[in-house]
Amino acid sequence: MNRTLYTLLFHLGLPLVALRLWLRARKAPAYRQRIGERFALGLPAMQPGGIWVHAVSVGESIAAAPMIRALLAGYPQLPITITCMTPTGSERIKAMFANEPRIQHCYLPYDLPWAAGRFLDHVRPVLGVIMETELWPNHIHQCAKRGIPVALANARLSERSARGYARFARLTRPMLEEMSWFAVQTETEAQRFRDLGARSECVAVTGSIKFDLTIDPQLLIHAAQLREQWQATERPVWIAASTHAGEDEVVLAAHRQLLISHPDALLVLVPRHPERFNSVHDLTVQQGFTTVRRSSGQPVTPQTSVLVGDTMGELLFLYALADIAFVGGSLVPNGGHNLLEPAALAKPVLSGPHLFNFLEIAAMLRNADALIECGDAASLSAAVQQLFDQPQKARDMAQAGLAVMKANQGALQRLLDGLDRLPR
């Protein structure tokens, strides 16, 4: 399949795109809004001539934030346009850069040549930076036609994804050949990009910028103060973060088992997607747990057993509140989420077995004895209980995770140096 056939099929599939938007809007009404932007219609007024950064959703937006702040500092004369594809990503971008007048934001239009062209003519970027592996053939081709260099930042490519791209070589090879630079996390992934058609001189191993996460010391101070307000300084507190459908029941079963040995234990349960906030809260109540919603502003009391983290932009703070962190998206075959956020906060890290989105990072943490993987409620409960009962083991895991973080930092500067060398 070449780009012409891909574009034709995309046009024919637009009714399915509309149906998908409608179905998603039933659960998340924000998908009904700003639909014009997805076709480059009604785009907000923007100052042209800056840097365009695409981060598909929440996780990529958070990962891109240090890079974006560095670009703001390094290029004080340029605006930065950040695009995404999801309402949650959009809200996160707005929250992170609410006080930065040079940040511009809209949805990235669908990968149709006329929509991509209209978007680029509106924004007129001098450089495009795409986070991780969100590749769009028509957007990249339209950039190439206009002489706009495009870089793939913090790039990753699993073996499974590489096989998928290889099946459509007539589409993906020309796309990769048109890109200016690939800042790849590992050599294994770099070779996959080369094999698929990326020019060797344009591929560099820079590491993962997720290791360059810095923690505001005030975050830990505020978390400690809130635990004092809750009279929970001595309570065992654990967090299950970024959970997906099918995981909450496992986590709650583990918490119920944990309460037998630690009846004062507090679980902070944070669903990954806002449209699940209500259903997860209802689930905890139905299962008989005394529950407080973070968004309600109600205090956590000694009788509270579960705090549902139903706010946006507070995940690091909620991690800071806990003694032990379980990272979701890993008990179900979703591929896991960022294990380095709790590690950066010196928390022992637990996960499920499905970590295919973070294989290298998981291996580093596992080899350093900084990660425990659990496959079900029984093993999760046992791991949390062990860490509560053996505080020295918990401290050792936390320090090992921090050591992995520090040993692998520097990717952000390598990425920025590479972007600086691109013509514009």
Side-chain angles (χ1 to χ4, degrees):
M1 180 170 62
N2 59 18
R3 189 167 44 80
T4 301
L5 179 57
Y6 162 82
T7 301
L8 174 63
L9 293 175
F10 205 133
H11 278 95
L12 293 175
L14 283 176
L16 295 177
V17 172
L19 176 62
R20 184 171 182 267
L21 271 180
W22 179 76
L23 290 172
R24 299 198 76 167
R26 294 179 65 186
K27 292 184 177 180
Y31 276 97
R32 299 192 189 103
Q33 302 167 1
R34 299 163 55 193
I35 291 177
E37 289 181 19
R38 299 184 184 275
F39 297 92
L41 300 171
L43 293 171
M46 292 183 180
Q47 181 183 347
I51 298 172
W52 161 47
V53 177
H54 179 60
V56 62
S57 190
V58 174
E60 292 80 6
S61 300
I62 293 171
M67 178 192 72
I68 293 168
R69 293 190 179 99
L71 291 173
L72 286 168
Y75 302 93
Q77 76 282 11
L78 295 180
I80 295 180
T81 301
I82 310 174
T83 59
C84 69
M85 298 298 292
T86 68
T88 51
S90 178
E91 290 303 312
R92 193 73 195 103
I93 290 165
K94 292 176 182 177
M96 287 191 295
F97 299 104
N99 299 317
E100 180 46 68
R102 284 192 291 135
I103 292 292
Q104 308 174 144
H105 167 63
C106 65
Y107 287 135
L108 182 69
Y110 291 127
D111 196 35
L112 302 162
W114 49 270
R118 184 181 293 156
F119 164 77
L120 292 170
D121 291 342
H122 184 73
V123 177
R124 283 185 285 170
V126 296
L127 171 66
V129 183
I130 301 172
M131 289 299 296
E132 300 194 359
T133 320
E134 187 73 11
L135 296 174
W136 296 92
N138 280 318
H139 276 281
I140 290 167
H141 182 65
Q142 292 296 320
C143 283
K145 285 178 61 177
R146 290 163 174 77
I148 303 167
V150 177
L152 192 63
N154 209 42
R156 60 183 188 178
L157 185 65
S158 68
E159 183 179 359
R160 178 182 178 184
S161 295
R163 287 197 302 268
Y165 281 124
R167 282 197 291 270
F168 300 98
R170 293 179 63 192
L171 175 66
T172 57
R173 182 169 289 273
M175 172 184 69
L176 296 177
E177 289 174 345
E178 286 183 325
M179 296 184 67
S180 300
W181 195 51
F182 299 80
V184 188
Q185 295 188 23
T186 68
E187 176 56 38
T188 300
E189 291 165 307
Q191 189 57 48
R192 289 173 186 150
F193 279 109
R194 297 184 195 107
D195 292 342
L196 288 171
R199 291 169 288 157
S200 294
E201 68 273 18
C202 298
V203 180
V205 179
T206 56
S208 173
I209 64 174
K210 291 181 178 179
F211 286 104
D212 290 291
L213 175 65
T214 56
I215 301 298
D216 183 351
Q218 291 298 314
L219 190 75
L220 295 167
I221 293 171
H222 292 156
Q225 290 172 343
L226 185 56
R227 282 189 64 160
E228 285 183 13
Q229 293 176 24
W230 291 349
Q231 303 175 45
T233 302
E234 302 300 324
R235 286 185 75 178
V237 180
W238 69 295
I239 183 172
S242 298
T243 60
H244 288 244
E247 293 187 306
D248 306 288
E249 293 84 355
V250 177
V251 169
L252 290 173
H255 189 53
R256 189 180 302 281
Q257 184 66 27
L258 183 67
L259 291 173
I260 297 173
S261 58
H262 294 275
D264 60 339
L266 174 66
L267 166 65
V268 183
L269 180 56
V270 188
R272 178 70 176 180
H273 298 111
E275 58 265 28
R276 297 184 59 246
F277 287 164
N278 290 336
S279 62
V280 171
H281 170 262
D282 293 345
L283 177 66
T284 64
V285 173
Q286 290 165 9
Q287 294 204 3
F289 293 100
T290 304
T291 304
V292 168
R293 296 181 71 142
R294 173 71 175 152
S295 64
S296 71
Q298 297 176 359
V300 169
T301 69
Q303 289 71 44
T304 304
S305 181
V306 178
L307 172 68
V308 175
D310 60 344
T311 52
M312 294 296 292
E314 278 200 315
L315 185 56
L316 281 178
F317 180 68
L318 296 176
Y319 273 133
L321 286 171
D323 303 308
I324 298 166
F326 170 81
V327 182
S330 56
L331 285 170
V332 293
N334 190 72
H337 291 294
N338 191 352
L339 302 168
L340 296 176
E341 290 174 333
L345 286 155
K347 308 297 177 182
V349 182
L350 283 65
S351 78
H354 300 287
L355 294 169
F356 51 82
N357 287 335
F358 294 88
L359 287 176
E360 289 79 11
I361 289 173
M364 291 178 189
L365 293 173
R366 191 185 304 114
N367 293 338
D369 293 326
L371 174 67
I372 297 176
E373 294 177 34
C374 312
D376 54 24
S379 58
L380 178 57
S381 176
V384 175
Q385 179 172 332
Q386 181 188 39
L387 293 172
F388 282 150
D389 292 343
Q390 300 179 29
Q392 186 59 51
K393 179 177 176 61
R395 286 191 291 269
D396 290 345
M397 281 188 65
Q399 291 305 310
L402 271 177
V404 170
M405 290 283 297
K406 292 176 181 177
N408 290 278
Q409 290 178 341
L412 178 58
Q413 190 57 54
R414 290 188 287 271
L415 169 61
L416 294 169
D417 291 343
L419 293 177
D420 192 49
R421 290 190 292 267
L422 293 177
R424 52 184 169 275

